[in-house]
Amino acid sequence: MSPKNWLKTLAITLSIGLLSACSEQEIDSTAAQTAEPSKTYRWKMVTTWPPGFPVLQQGAERFADNIKVMSNGRLNIKVYAGGELIPPLQTFDAVSQGTVEMGHGSAYYWAGKVPEAQFFSTVPFGMTARGMNAWLYDGGGLELWREVYKPFHVIPFPLGNTGVQMGGWFNKEINSLADIKGLKMRIPGLGGKVFAKAGGNPILLAGSEVYTALERNTIDATEWIGPYHDQRLGLYRAAKHYYYPGWHEPGTVLELTVNERAWNTLPADLQAIVSNAAQAENVRMLSEMEQKNISALAELQQRKDIQIHRFPDDVLQKLKTLTDETLQEEAAKDPKFKRVYDAYQTFRQQNDAWSDISENAYLAIP
Ligand code: CA
């Protein structure tokens, strides 16, 4: 073979090779895509968090970034923090109305509109992250949650968990229930109702106002999240007594909400990507929260100007009794609330029975 012919043969061989590689790639990608393979979706997600808020806002952004990579750019979600596009507490309505396709927040923010939604975030003395994941993913909880949001054309997914929160910062020691009488504490939701029953004075304050209110003694106490976010807000400068455990928020589930009509326009593979990315980020946000709390607690324990205390047992027991009363009262006046409460309680009792002889028994070994 002359050099010229050899080159010609090589060129033909290479081009055939390249062509066949191309066609294989085309076949593969066509097979992987179930509908409208060329269509690119540009979605908006709004959240209830401040811009750049660590773990929560950042986790929502990581979720969107991962979906862009996994979908090869076919699903682009632009994430807006609370207030950037709409006020934070209008997230649910914006998703419901289809103003945006997605939202990130927590179900108890919509308690005014959907009281029973609180069971899908957290209730005082409720289940921790382990129990909530077992209930939601495999114990019928998520199906129930989807039924509850169905009239609003919103599809929920668990997307993150704060883990057990801290009990909060107090400007005096809490040695008995008498110390709660008249105490002005920033504590929202059902926790606030229970606190009021215990004689306390629950105050509603946005996160941005918490530090100043405590520092100026407008309030006597506040809860926030856990050691990491509490330290970041500087609450140790405003009150000296830091209490645990966060009886009022034992494992707050964060939620992804998707507009139902928008969801139905997605091909099955993009739906699977969103659903699996949500599960992945649900685990990731909790583990990041735990790691950051581990580090922050170690730093707070070094401080000489604060004291970290456990709430006295009798205070916790009384708050627990008052929580049972509060939940039963809410259930008695609202059949929708009762339906979710009953399902939650049934799973919770089974979960407690197993936890008592597994994780709790193990952790109780002296
Ligand atoms: Ca909290």
Side-chain angles (χ1 to χ4, degrees), residues 236-250:
Y236 57 88
R237 290 196 299 265
K240 299 303 163 207
H241 301 283
Y242 195 22
Y243 274 89
Y244 66 89
W247 58 273
H248 62 297
E249 291 198 61

Side-chain angles (χ1 to χ4, degrees), residues 58-244:
Q58 288 173 0
E61 288 167 5
R62 182 170 52 209
F63 165 75
D65 289 346
N66 285 335
I67 285 176
K68 187 173 181 182
V69 173
M70 286 189 276
S71 69
N72 197 22
R74 288 163 55 226
L75 179 52
N76 290 301
I77 303 161
K78 184 158 171 52
V79 183
Y80 297 86
E84 285 181 343
L85 201 61
I86 55 150
L89 295 181
Q90 284 176 23
T91 294
F92 187 86
D93 288 345
V95 174
S96 174
Q97 289 155 12
T99 315
V100 296
E101 290 82 4
M102 282 180 166
H104 189 243
S106 192
Y108 60 10
Y109 290 138
W110 331 126
K113 182 190 287 283
V114 198
E116 67 273 30
Q118 294 171 98
F119 289 102
F120 305 111
S121 56
T122 193
V123 294
F125 297 98
M127 289 186 277
T128 62
R130 274 176 64 240
M132 285 305 291
N133 280 333
W135 181 49
L136 292 174
Y137 286 129
D138 294 295
L142 187 52
E143 285 86 348
L144 189 56
W145 193 0
R146 291 193 172 154
E147 280 178 38
V148 167
Y149 279 6
K150 181 84 179 159
F152 304 95
H153 310 292
V154 171
I155 302 173
F157 299 78
L159 191 86
N161 194 302
T162 65
V164 181
Q165 299 196 5
M166 285 293 282
W169 298 84
F170 293 75
N171 63 9
K172 66 171 190 178
E173 281 191 45
I174 303 300
N175 295 314
S176 72
L177 211 65
D179 293 320
I180 288 178
K181 293 270 184 291
L183 201 74
K184 282 184 285 181
M185 178 170 183
R186 184 265 181 189
I187 176 168
L190 283 168
K193 283 193 176 173
V194 174
F195 188 71
K197 267 181 184 278
N201 184 5
I203 307 284
L204 273 180
L205 278 182
S208 56
E209 299 169 280
V210 166
Y211 176 82
T212 311
L214 187 61
E215 203 254 333
R216 293 183 184 167
N217 292 317
T218 312
I219 53 174
D220 307 308
T222 188
E223 69 83 49
W224 183 230
I225 306 179
Y228 172 71
H229 287 93
D230 290 13
Q231 185 191 40
R232 201 171 164 272
L233 202 57
L235 291 172
Y236 57 88
R237 290 196 299 265
K240 299 303 163 207
H241 301 283
Y242 195 22
Y243 274 89
Y244 66 89

